[in-house]
Amino acid sequence: MIHNTQKTYILAIESSCDDTAAAVSCNRMLLSNVVANQKIHEQYGGVVPELASRAHQQNIIPVVHEALKQAGINKSQLDAIAFTRGPGLMGSLLVGASFAKGLSLSLNIPLIDVNHLQAHVMANFIEEKESTNEHPSFPFLCLLVSGGNSQIILVKSANDMEIIGKTIDDAAGEAFDKCAKIMGLPYPGGPHIDNLAKQGNALAFRLSKASIEGYDYSFSGLKTSFLYLLRDALKQNEGFIAANQADLCASLQHTIIETLMHKFKQAVADYGVKDIALAGGVSANSGLRSAFEKFGLENNKAVFIPKLAFTMDNAAMIAVTGYYKYLDNNFCNLALAPYARVSL
Ligand code: KG4
């Protein structure tokens, strides 16, 4: 447990993909959290890297300015700047990293590089004035599910995490998004599938579930079986998707959740942890949140799920991770380059 009597103000910047985000924190307490989404990618059905970096360049100054204003903090009060080093899109990361470096140099304060995946896990440690502010106790297991990752992580401490299972191909979010695209739903498809699934029968269609060794996942077979199901059905009935949209979404979501939970339950039993946590964009899924809570309740585990704003890409999680690195005096220098691909 940390006992820091000092007030440490951190400005955090996140620009790994298509959201430009900035947050200000005082220790673990979040003072402001600003996100500028980039609508421009919707028309392309996915993120266009070059457009994302240009939009970050336009957004970064107003977003940082707004975060400082909402926090009621002057730049001169900041103790450190934290930024997402990766993984992510290189052009997008470069904008946030360069801005963070420039600001830390001009203010003469330390710079902290943050791993985006570690930060998703650490979203479970963000404090807010109005919330209960309970957080998981170490060690705990975290199911990190996003557009690019599906991992089971043994979290030994804030700065010591071990991936014990991961996807060998597509991530869960990718499975949601790609299947949504096949159905003609807008990007990103995950939230649309979640909404439509509420009206559907989860057992209407049987989809393929991968059987992989250990705690690893695979979702590419599910995507293919979904594609073939639609291809065959559309030959008989052109209106098949429209007529069965809710049932298709419910069945797909059910299969993804069952797959995720099956391995996670196995890991919890094997590692005997008391606390379990969810993280990443897909943890916004209402079905997954319910399944996770139900499992915790039935197995006497303390369950931690970040609030919706902290499941998607955000700078609040970069701030809290930066704070734990600040306590370890774990700073970086101006020569540090972002990395597009990296593990924990
Ligand atoms: O963590 P995130 O914002 O970005 C990274 O991949 O880092 O996650 C985005 C992913 C997308 O695949 C999106 O479709 C998915 O999270 N997602 C959802 C839901 N909300 C977002 N998937 C299923 N149900 C949702 N409600």
Side-chain angles (χ1 to χ4, degrees):
M1 205 55 240
I2 290 166
H3 298 290
N4 180 28
T5 48
Q6 299 233 309
K7 282 189 170 178
T8 304
Y9 291 101
I10 293 181
L11 168 70
I13 292 163
E14 149 68 32
S15 70
S16 63
C17 190
D18 60 337
D19 294 315
T20 319
V24 177
S25 63
C26 176
N27 300 354
R28 288 199 295 119
M29 181 64 66
L30 186 64
L31 303 182
S32 67
N33 186 36
V34 179
V35 184
N37 306 111
Q38 301 179 1
K39 293 273 167 234
I40 189 155
H41 306 287
E42 278 170 15
Q43 58 189 295
Y44 299 100
V47 177
V48 184
E50 178 57 25
L51 294 179
S53 15
R54 284 188 220 170
H56 282 306
Q57 280 184 319
Q58 285 172 343
N59 293 341
I60 194 132
I61 292 177
V63 164
V64 167
H65 183 75
E66 187 59 26
L68 288 166
K69 195 171 117 191
Q70 284 185 19
I73 293 294
N74 194 287
K75 285 197 289 289
S76 60
Q77 290 172 270
L78 293 173
D79 295 291
I81 313 276
F83 71 98
T84 305
R85 185 179 177 196
L89 301 172
M90 186 46 90
S92 294
L93 290 165
L94 276 167
V95 177
S98 309
F99 187 89
K101 286 178 185 180
L103 197 57
S104 87
L105 185 67
S106 68
L107 296 172
N108 195 24
I109 53 176
L111 188 61
I112 305 169
D113 64 305
V114 171
N115 180 308
H116 183 84
L117 302 177
Q118 183 188 356
H120 267 306
V121 176
M122 294 305 292
N124 285 288
F125 289 77
I126 298 167
E127 279 191 353
E128 285 187 291
K129 285 203 180 77
E130 63 278 12
S131 66
T132 59
N133 295 323
E134 285 175 16
H135 58 76
S137 303
F138 303 112
F140 65 93
L141 279 175
C142 182
L143 178 61
L144 169 56
V145 269
S146 70
N149 295 279
S150 297
Q151 300 176 336
I152 300 177
I153 301 169
L154 176 63
V155 187
K156 299 169 195 168
S157 75
N159 292 317
D160 186 6
M161 303 185 185
E162 183 191 343
I163 299 169
I164 59 165
K166 61 180 183 317
T167 181
I168 59 162
D169 41 53
D170 290 352
E174 237 173 317
F176 271 110
D177 294 343
K178 286 180 178 168
C179 291
K181 195 169 179 180
I182 297 170
M183 290 177 71
L185 294 171
Y187 174 86
H192 296 282
I193 291 188
D194 191 356
N195 272 334
L196 288 161
K198 288 177 186 142
Q199 267 66 270
N201 172 6
L203 303 177
F205 299 101
R206 234 182 119 80
L207 297 162
S208 138
K209 271 192 214 153
S211 143
I212 306 279
E213 288 273 302
Y215 307 121
D216 283 345
Y217 291 116
S218 165
F219 288 102
S220 65
L222 168 62
K223 182 187 63 191
T224 311
S225 86
F226 194 72
L227 180 72
Y228 288 174
L229 167 77
L230 295 190
R231 185 196 59 185
D232 295 345
L234 285 169
K235 280 185 198 153
Q236 316 291 325
N237 170 13
E238 277 183 11
F240 178 79
I241 295 180
N244 295 280
Q245 208 178 33
D247 286 350
L248 285 166
C249 289
S251 303
L252 175 69
Q253 179 167 303
H254 174 74
T255 312
I256 294 175
I257 294 172
E258 282 230 311
T259 306
L260 288 171
M261 290 306 295
H262 176 69
K263 292 290 173 90
F264 188 72
K265 286 175 187 176
Q266 207 177 308
V268 171
D270 294 348
Y271 280 82
V273 291
K274 291 205 221 60
D275 293 3
I276 55 172
L278 257 187
V282 180
S283 65
N285 185 269
S286 57
L288 180 60
R289 290 169 97 92
S290 310
F292 207 78
E293 270 161 4
K294 185 167 173 277
F295 169 66
L297 203 65
E298 288 172 358
N299 293 276
N300 201 23
K301 305 289 174 199
V303 173
F304 296 87
I305 305 179
K307 75 175 206 186
L308 284 181
F310 304 146
T311 60
M312 309 305 275
D313 288 349
N314 65 86
M317 67 185 194
I318 306 300
V320 76
T321 314
Y323 174 61
Y324 280 89
K325 290 190 85 170
Y326 184 95
L327 293 174
D328 279 357
N329 284 320
N330 192 347
F331 305 123
C332 70
N333 65 42
L334 294 170
L336 198 85
Y339 34 43
R341 289 188 167 272
V342 71
S343 189
L344 275 171

